[in-house]
Amino acid sequence: AGPKGHVPTPHLEWALEALQRFRRKDAALLERILGIKMEAYSNDTQGILDMLTEVGPRLQVPDASPDPIERELQGIVGLEQVKKQLRSLRKSLGMDARRRAAGVQVPKVPPHHMVFVGNPGVGKTTMGRLVAKILREVGSTKGGRLLEVQRGDLVGQHVGSTAPKTRKVINAAKGGVLFVDEAYRLTGHGSRDFGPEAVEEIMKDLDEGDPVVIIAGYEDRMQGFFEANPGLRRRFRHHFRFVNYSPGEMAEMFWAKLRGQGFFVEAGVTVPWIASLIEDNTTEAWRGEHNG
């Protein structure tokens, strides 16, 4: 907080929204949470600014990066190794783009198809959307769109229907990123299954690189997916492993959601307390199936 009546801008929006929600009708609750006496302030503009001046230092808001993609990465809880890989990839692709713009000959590289492995709820789709933005930023794709599909969007119900159905999806994803969730479900269902036909149709465009394809699923089942078609593995250059969230990371996400929706909690409810509550009342296996 600065001089009287002035609060740093990062604090102002959140605190003002909080005051608008509570106002004087919930004065007792606000007094208990913030440790101030509401009656010391009026409802006029100066009174609100006086309150924000006092409350401001208690509102911890991290500095945000001016870079929108980096800001998104900073806002994602956990997944530090995945974020490190994405930052490195973005830096490398960005350097190549700048060299090409300067007229430097840059060796052609294979398309940037990717594999995301991990349990449900660990942020694979969220990171996929971010990848789409990065690839557009560096000129690897024409658009920043991510089209998310599953088996049902690709596989037909009768002979001869799968290839055109898959081709329609591929064409819709052109210029962007095609995200195939639970890709392992396209194989391993026996000789009469049409899933492998969808895989073959996708493979026709992998060498061209449009769209960029991300396939995602459980780590062990994705191994079986690659074994079912040996030509697939070499076409996916980038592999990202999404680890399960810890109780502390789950608590951070819950806390951020509360704050983002303008809720307040009692003073004793902290991120470590929520983390212990999660750890004491769930098993590691249950958390691995649910995560975020």
Side-chain angles (χ1 to χ4, degrees), residues 210-245:
D210 185 19
V212 171
V213 177
I214 300 175
I215 54 175
Y218 290 101
E219 186 168 11
D220 56 344
R221 297 182 190 180
M222 290 302 292
Q223 293 302 320
F225 174 75
F226 283 120
E227 290 169 4
N229 193 319
L232 271 173
R233 192 183 297 273
R234 65 179 177 82
R235 289 178 166 89
F236 287 84
R237 300 179 60 209
H238 307 286
H239 290 248
F240 297 82
R241 184 172 181 268
F242 290 69
V243 299
N244 293 331
Y245 292 118

Side-chain angles (χ1 to χ4, degrees), residues 3-4 24 28 35 42 50 58 87 102 106 128 147 186 229 243 251:
K4 185 173 182 179
R24 298 189 67 82
S42 67
D50 288 345
R58 304 174 207 176
R87 287 185 176 110
V106 179
L147 179 60
L186 294 173
N229 193 319
V243 299

Side-chain angles (χ1 to χ4, degrees), residues 34-57:
L34 298 178
I36 61 176
K37 287 295 182 182
M38 287 287 290
E39 62 186 20
Y41 304 95
S42 67
N43 276 330
D44 59 17
T45 303
Q46 187 58 50
I48 291 176
L49 289 175
D50 288 345
M51 178 183 289
L52 292 176
T53 299
E54 181 166 343
V55 172

Side-chain angles (χ1 to χ4, degrees), residues 131-151:
V131 164
K133 293 178 183 179
I134 291 172
L135 294 179
R136 179 183 182 182
E137 174 193 58
V138 300
S140 294
T141 61
K142 296 177 182 177
R145 184 190 180 204
L146 178 135
L147 179 60
E148 182 183 3
V149 298
Q150 295 186 346
R151 175 186 166 91

